[in-house]
Amino acid sequence: MIVEVCANSLESALVAERAGADRIELCSELAVGGLTPSYGLLKAIKERLSIPVHVLIRPRSGDFTYTVDELNIMLKDIALCVDLGFEGIVSGVLSDDFTLDVDSTNKLKVAAGNLKFTFHRAFDWIVNPLEALQQLEAMHVDYILSSGQQKSAPEGIDFLSNLNKQRKTVQIMPGSGVNASNVDMFKNYGFNTVHLSGTKMIKTISKKPMISMNSAGFLSDDHSAITQLENIKAVVVKVK
């Protein structure tokens, strides 16, 4: 059984490798479901790790429906990962009606070339999952990462099991809430791969800061923070 660890830093990736993980999904910002890691982190990972690494390509938090500019950024990030010699890409695009955006996702898959391709947990929002499964298989996607359209993979085990029975070529990879206490369940259900972060919040500084730099108001699945023309113009007019 392949154990894939979602690592959000060089330290996490090195720990996962040392613990015996088979593969890394590299990202940043686990709190928002993961974002594309920085160039510096990508370089450090290639220099220090020996196990395969699949890189998450997601330009921002929120939904999985992207503008033309955002899609172009994703394509450039994939090209960088190909050039750096990574083994896989983790990405995907939805339409705003929560169906698979076949055209955009296929562009990402084509850009990845011979690299393995995982369609990420955007799959858990898809309203027609069995049709999307067929569409992704037609693209020759290698993995679908899913919690079974529930908050955690153990809760979504029935959905995941059915999906696993329906698949032909793609591997279904349970993820979210997977740990040592429940991983046997996925093995017994016949899954060949599991995905987990295995993280714990570790205190990094001795004192609590005077103010928080975290803004809960920016955390949303159906909104994105976008600079507004009138807000900036109003300030520029005042000071210029």
Side-chain angles (χ1 to χ4, degrees):
M1 191 175 206
I2 294 173
V3 176
E4 178 181 275
V5 174
C6 182
N8 62 338
S9 66
L10 175 62
E11 181 179 6
S12 290
L14 290 170
V15 167
E17 182 178 53
R18 193 162 69 247
D22 299 289
R23 187 171 70 215
I24 298 296
E25 183 205 289
L26 184 66
C27 69
S28 63
E29 299 303 329
L30 288 175
V32 296
L35 298 176
T36 305
S38 70
Y39 176 75
L41 178 55
L42 291 171
K43 288 284 287 182
I45 289 289
K46 286 305 295 180
E47 292 167 0
R48 301 283 298 277
L49 258 70
S50 58
I51 60 175
V53 177
H54 293 186
V55 181
L56 177 67
I57 304 297
R58 187 180 178 213
R60 56 160 173 78
S61 62
D63 60 63
F64 302 98
T65 302
Y66 301 113
T67 66
V68 172
D69 287 336
E70 288 173 330
L71 190 64
N72 285 334
I73 289 169
M74 296 168 77
L75 292 170
K76 289 176 181 176
D77 283 334
I78 290 174
L80 174 62
C81 292
V82 171
D83 288 343
L84 289 173
F86 284 97
E87 288 80 11
I89 295 296
V90 182
S91 197
V93 186
L94 301 183
S95 300
D96 60 8
D97 62 354
F98 299 113
T99 58
L100 177 67
D101 185 333
V102 174
D103 182 59
S104 296
T105 300
N106 192 56
K107 286 180 180 177
L108 301 179
K109 174 67 174 67
V110 170
N114 294 325
L115 275 61
K116 297 290 186 182
F117 194 96
T118 299
F119 190 90
H120 55 36
R121 282 194 61 209
F123 193 86
D124 290 323
W125 283 7
I126 289 180
V127 294
N128 54 339
L130 294 182
E131 181 182 358
L133 171 65
Q134 295 175 351
Q135 292 168 327
L136 290 168
E137 289 196 317
M139 292 182 212
H140 304 292
V141 164
D142 298 283
Y143 296 93
I144 293 173
L145 174 62
S146 174
S147 64
Q149 299 199 331
Q150 299 295 325
K151 288 184 178 180
S152 71
E155 294 177 77
I157 188 63
D158 290 338
F159 177 97
L160 289 167
S161 180
N162 182 54
L163 204 63
N164 205 35
K165 292 174 183 176
Q166 298 289 331
R167 73 173 184 87
K168 294 182 176 67
T169 57
V170 70
Q171 294 289 316
I172 307 302
M173 179 165 47
S176 182
V178 176
N179 56 49
S181 70
N182 58 37
V183 71
D184 280 345
M185 173 175 62
F186 299 102
K187 190 170 186 177
N188 293 336
Y189 268 86
F191 293 99
N192 297 321
T193 311
V194 288
H195 171 100
L196 70 155
S197 66
T199 53
K200 176 183 177 181
M201 297 298 286
I202 303 296
K203 191 170 180 62
T204 55
I205 54 178
S206 59
K207 291 184 178 180
K208 193 174 181 66
M210 293 173 59
I211 58 171
S212 175
M213 295 296 173
N214 294 313
S215 300
F218 286 110
L219 297 175
S220 175
D221 289 322
D222 57 359
H223 288 73
S224 289
I226 300 173
T227 299
Q228 297 298 292
L229 179 70
E230 61 271 21
N231 292 346
I232 306 304
K233 284 185 71 174
V235 171
V236 170
V237 168
K238 286 279 189 179
V239 300
K240 301 294 186 182

